[in-house]
Amino acid sequence: MNKLAYAGALAGLVFLMPAASAADSCSVPQLKVLAQKTLGLTTLEKSLADYRKASGTQVDLVYFGENDRRGKSRLDASTKAGAYQVYYVDEANVAEFAAAGWILPLLKYYPKEYDYNDFLPGRRAVASYKDVAYFAPLYGGGDFLYYRKDLLDKAHIAVPKTLEELQAAIKKLNNPPAVYGWVARGQRGSGMNVWRWSPFFTAMGGEWVGKDGKAGFNSAAGVKATQTYMDLLKYTPPGTATYDWSNAVESFRAGKVAFMIESTPFADWMEDPSKSSVVGKVGYARPPAPLSSAGFGHGFAIAAYGSKDECTRQAAGKFIAWASSKEQEQARLKDGVFSDYNRSSTIGSPYFQQHVQPGIVAGLNAITDTTRLNIWSSPLWPQVGDNLGVVLEELFTGTRTDAKAALDDAARYTDAVIARAGRRN
């Protein structure tokens, strides 16, 4: 994607405000927002002064890194301190926060004219818990199969459409140390190796919890997914067994890898000529069947204890609607930020179509109907996912070799977590 700055692009934008309502007679002079820095929020900061003039509300964004952001919001909510009226949440903790009553159902306070249904289906799915929307997406994506067009053309290999075709192509193109067939996340963590393993697990029919209420990832589907993932790691650069997402992406854009399944915003990185050696050589396709596209999303939610009264909740909802609006997404595009899109109207807009590589636009359209949440939508996920990540890393690094026994251990831990939660409730 093109990251050039577009001079004067923001000047012509009109930042809409919700229509006046009875709630506007409430005086809410300030909102404190616990946030995580993104390029899109850097663009939003430029128009906060205009928002204050139009709404009468000053918005203060307080930034933390990802782990600190989760910890700070969890502490603020669990102690009922209520120092913040808006939280930045994501697909990994929305279930925890919603189940605990720490964030409020959003649509009651999200003005209808801001068109929540315009958000991409995958974004709406990850922003919800038990089919109730809790946050408005600001940043997110699905998965692309990233592939080297030049390598496939030279070897006369078609773009893989099935997992079996992908496995065969990886093996054929693997030619170390010049190029490796595959790269993936191996590092422990619910958002690291488990995130990338999960589409394999769900594609093979796996269910996180069985009908008996016990962990289901030590099933035949879980074992098969793990063995498949481990087999693919044989065709990766040295050290991949403990790679995080940045290691994987950097190895691909350094020209050392033929295939990778990773999140869609990284397409921007591939086409950055200042940092990528594969500009113009990368193709973007939907993950091969039966793998789904792993949907994720980050956004703003109304903090229940910080927004104690209806006036504050209305003000928080109004701000969230404005921050996640169509106009803000267009402002990001015209500020050179093409990775923070969330709306169907954004992908279909003339500016997006004109300035984003056609192959990327085609890839985004191709994954719309296959993007889903693959992780367990449960308040217990942070504990369960991180423990499973430890076990998977042990298998990937060779510390353990018996996939079934390792998954059984993780399942026993999960069953104990579920039992403790049940006793508390």
Side-chain angles (χ1 to χ4, degrees), residues 269-390:
W269 296 34
M270 302 304 156
E271 305 299 337
D272 182 351
S274 68
K275 297 179 180 178
S276 175
S277 65
V278 293
V279 174
K281 298 179 181 179
V282 182
Y284 309 93
R286 63 189 295 167
L291 301 179
S292 64
S293 165
F296 72 95
H298 297 197
F300 283 153
I302 301 173
Y305 297 120
S307 301
K308 295 182 176 65
D309 58 81
E310 284 296 304
C311 284
T312 304
R313 293 174 180 183
Q314 292 284 353
K318 187 193 303 183
F319 164 72
I320 291 170
W322 172 81
S324 61
S325 66
K326 298 175 184 179
E327 291 73 28
Q328 278 295 331
E329 291 215 352
Q330 288 298 310
R332 294 173 210 158
L333 297 183
K334 294 181 179 181
D335 214 17
V337 181
F338 291 94
S339 57
D340 289 14
Y341 67 88
N342 303 280
R343 291 178 172 271
S344 298
S345 60
T346 300
I347 294 178
S349 70
Y351 199 93
F352 195 90
Q353 298 284 327
Q354 181 181 356
H355 293 283
V356 176
Q357 186 190 104
I360 296 174
V361 175
L364 292 172
N365 289 326
I367 66 169
T368 297
D369 63 352
T370 190
T371 301
R372 54 173 287 188
L373 184 66
N374 284 291
I375 62 173
W376 185 27
S377 181
S378 167
L380 306 178
W381 173 249
Q383 301 173 68
V384 168
D386 284 342
N387 181 72
L388 177 58
V390 172

Side-chain angles (χ1 to χ4, degrees), residues 6 8 30-31 56 74 84 102 120 124 181 204 275 297 423:
Y6 299 98
Q30 181 187 37
L31 291 174
R74 186 177 288 113
Y84 301 92
W102 295 344
L120 292 159
R124 282 183 274 132
M204 292 170 186
K275 297 179 180 178
R423 287 194 293 271

Side-chain angles (χ1 to χ4, degrees), residues 194-214:
V194 180
W195 184 261
R196 291 268 63 95
W197 172 90
S198 295
F200 288 81
F201 172 58
T202 56
M204 292 170 186
E207 295 184 355
W208 288 103
V209 176
K211 294 179 180 179
D212 59 0
K214 294 186 177 182

